């Protein structure tokens, strides 16, 4: 409503408020949540797929093909786009299997250390299994402005895990995330942390990238800002940023931090596993067991019955998520112990 009011009252002058007030406030919230400490390194777009395209175009390549290292557990946007580019032959794609999960981080880091990569992309929390990549600092240390670039997909970590990115990691790694899930801001807010000195003149560039202090090589007519705005696109819908800021203010006013929500969710997940004993779900493989370390906001159960379980639960007004043979049970700020008990009662009816 505030976004609409500003547009109606200010018309074209609304952009002064958006870029001078709304945008910087959102940058500050994101930098604090990531623990990257640099609001000027944050840029927004309508989704993270936009940033994936801009990164692939800007990343230095040392051969005819862009050589990309990733995992086979990435989210659909990256998985699909990278595979399609590989089909066209201008991208050389190497995927590290996520399983076995216990040594995935070690295997991925070893592959990254092998060199011969231009772009290295991995999720901090794998979206289908909920397992984590826990050697971010060592991976980020491999990044160089001239290549390779390291990109961390923190979509399932942002506002789900407290301070997912240190200032040390942020100094050399790109970080992708969004406002749709745990940030509770809805669609339309992809975000990217851009390390200084990486991709100073992205080839895919919109007119917003020329606002502010411009730099351009001699004889060039295309200038870029020196901060994260260099990766900007063109005209966008700012309503997601208004929502994000409003949510952030509400959380702070009520002293609700990611640390507190993370602890609450951990207790609910432990309670859930206890109450599921003796149910059909207890027979499934829990892909991301609780180990006292930072954990995904969902429990992932792998079983051939996952599709049927999801459908049966939906018929009983219980919404879960299924990815192939993996049933994901998510936990949020709005859940409490009674919800866990209600779910376990439904689970006892599954076969």
């Amino acid at each position: 409503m505030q976004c609409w009011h500003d547009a109606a009252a200010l018309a074209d002058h609304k952009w002064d408020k958006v870029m001078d007030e709304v945008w910087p406030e959102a940058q500050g919230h994101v930098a604090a949540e990531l623990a990257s400490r640099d609001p000027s390194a944050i840029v927004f777009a309508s989704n993270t797929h936009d940033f994936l395209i801009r990164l692939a175009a800007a990343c230095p390549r040392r051969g005819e093909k862009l050589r990309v290292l990733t995992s086979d557990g990435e989210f659909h946007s990256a998985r699909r786009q990278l595979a399609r580019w590989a089909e066209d032959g201008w991208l050389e794609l190497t995927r590290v299997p996520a399983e076995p999960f216990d040594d995935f981080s070690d295997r991925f880091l070893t592959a990254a250390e092998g060199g011969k990569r231009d772009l290295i992309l991995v999720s901090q929390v794998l979206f289908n299994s909920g397992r984590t990549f826990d050697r971010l600092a060592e991976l980020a240390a491999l990044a160089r402005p001239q290549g390779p670039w390291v990109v961390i997909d923190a979509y399932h970590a942002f506002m789900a895990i407290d301070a997912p990115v240190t200032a040390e990691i942020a100094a050399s790694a790109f970080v992708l995330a969004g406002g749709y899930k745990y940030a509770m801001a809805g669609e339309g807010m992809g975000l990217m942390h851009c390390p200084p000195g990486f991709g100073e003149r992205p080839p895919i560039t919109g007119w917003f990238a020329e606002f502010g202090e411009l730099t351009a090589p001699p004889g060039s007519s295309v200038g870029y800002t020196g901060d994260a705005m260099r990766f900007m696109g063109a005209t966008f819908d700012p309503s997601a940023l208004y929502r994000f800021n409003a949510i952030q203010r509400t959380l702070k006013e009520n002293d609700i931090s990611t640390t507190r929500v993370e602890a609450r969710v951990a207790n609910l997940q432990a309670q859930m596993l206890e109450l599921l004993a003796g149910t059909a779900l207890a027979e499934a493989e829990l892909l991301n067991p609780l180990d006292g370390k930072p954990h995904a906001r969902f429990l992932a159960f792998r079983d051939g019955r996952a599709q049927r379980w999801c459908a049966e639960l939906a018929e009983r007004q219980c919404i879960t998520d299924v990815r192939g043979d993996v049933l994901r049970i998510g936990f949020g700020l709005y859940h409490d112990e009674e919800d866990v008990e209600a779910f376990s009662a439904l689970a006892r009816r599954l076969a």
Side-chain angles (χ1 to χ4, degrees):
M1 291 177 65
Q2 185 63 47
C3 182
W4 181 92
H5 176 80
D6 288 347
L10 302 173
D12 273 357
H13 293 293
K14 75 176 185 180
W15 291 110
D16 294 334
K17 179 168 184 179
V18 169
M19 302 311 297
D20 293 341
E21 298 179 29
V22 179
W23 184 283
E25 180 184 349
Q27 286 179 305
H29 292 313
V30 171
E33 184 65 37
L34 287 177
S36 61
R37 302 180 187 173
D38 185 3
S40 70
I42 305 299
V43 64
F44 302 102
S46 59
N47 52 64
T48 56
H49 182 256
D50 283 356
F51 287 131
L52 184 66
I53 294 172
R54 297 175 206 180
L55 285 170
C59 184
R61 61 190 69 186
R62 286 164 284 181
E64 292 185 1
K65 296 184 178 182
L66 183 70
R67 297 166 299 178
V68 177
L69 176 70
T70 187
S71 81
D72 66 358
E74 301 305 314
F75 186 61
H76 299 314
S77 289
R79 174 194 58 78
R80 176 180 171 85
Q81 188 64 75
L82 294 175
R84 182 64 185 89
W85 282 334
E87 284 181 354
D88 270 354
W90 70 268
L91 182 149
E92 180 182 300
L93 184 61
T94 301
R95 297 188 186 92
V96 176
E99 296 190 67
F101 296 119
D102 287 345
D103 66 351
F104 166 66
S105 295
D106 297 334
R107 288 186 289 106
F108 191 91
L109 183 61
T110 298
E113 290 173 336
K116 299 181 180 180
R117 312 294 181 192
D118 300 314
L119 184 66
I120 301 169
L121 184 149
V122 67
S123 289
Q124 186 172 5
V125 178
L126 299 178
F127 89 104
N128 52 356
S129 66
R131 296 298 287 256
T132 60
F133 178 82
D134 58 9
R135 302 188 70 177
L136 292 178
E138 294 160 279
L139 186 68
L142 302 176
R144 300 289 185 274
Q146 68 273 20
W149 285 7
V150 171
V151 181
I152 300 166
D153 185 342
Y155 208 95
H156 281 276
F158 182 65
M159 291 193 68
I161 294 176
D162 183 48
V165 179
T166 65
E168 177 188 17
I169 294 169
S172 58
F174 289 88
V175 182
L176 299 175
Y180 187 71
K181 283 188 177 293
Y182 315 108
M184 300 172 283
E187 59 284 310
M189 197 193 94
L191 63 93
M192 181 167 69
H193 163 85
C194 311
F198 286 72
E200 295 179 333
R201 304 186 76 244
I204 294 180
T205 183
W207 67 285
F208 266 90
E210 64 183 23
F211 281 89
E213 183 180 352
L214 299 183
T215 60
S220 172
S221 62
V222 181
Y224 293 80
T225 59
D227 58 15
M229 292 290 286
R230 66 190 185 274
F231 277 95
M232 269 295 289
T235 307
F236 61 97
D237 178 357
S239 60
L241 299 180
Y242 279 81
R243 294 196 301 269
F244 177 66
N245 288 342
I247 289 293
Q248 290 294 312
R249 293 185 212 123
T250 299
L251 293 174
K252 287 176 172 57
E253 288 168 2
N254 290 276
D255 193 28
I256 300 174
S257 64
T258 298
T259 302
R260 289 187 63 192
V261 179
E262 187 178 14
R264 179 173 181 80
V265 165
N267 290 334
L268 294 177
Q269 289 177 333
Q271 178 189 3
M272 174 76 82
L273 293 178
E274 290 180 6
L275 294 178
L276 289 180
T279 70
L281 280 172
E283 302 169 4
E285 178 187 5
L286 179 59
L287 297 181
N288 57 341
L290 304 181
D291 57 5
K293 298 178 181 179
H295 193 276
R297 281 282 177 89
F298 58 89
L299 297 172
F301 294 89
R302 181 158 61 189
D303 193 281
R305 297 166 285 181
Q307 294 278 346
R308 175 166 59 81
W309 287 342
C310 184
E312 291 178 3
L313 289 168
E315 290 175 357
R316 294 161 188 161
Q317 315 308 313
C318 178
I319 306 303
T320 57
D321 181 69
V322 65
R323 306 281 182 176
D325 61 352
V326 178
L327 182 74
R328 302 192 310 176
I329 303 171
F331 297 78
L333 175 63
Y334 45 83
H335 287 127
D336 55 29
E337 290 78 3
E338 289 75 15
D339 293 311
V340 173
E341 293 170 359
F343 182 88
S344 63
L346 293 177
R348 286 192 286 273
R349 299 169 63 183
L350 300 174

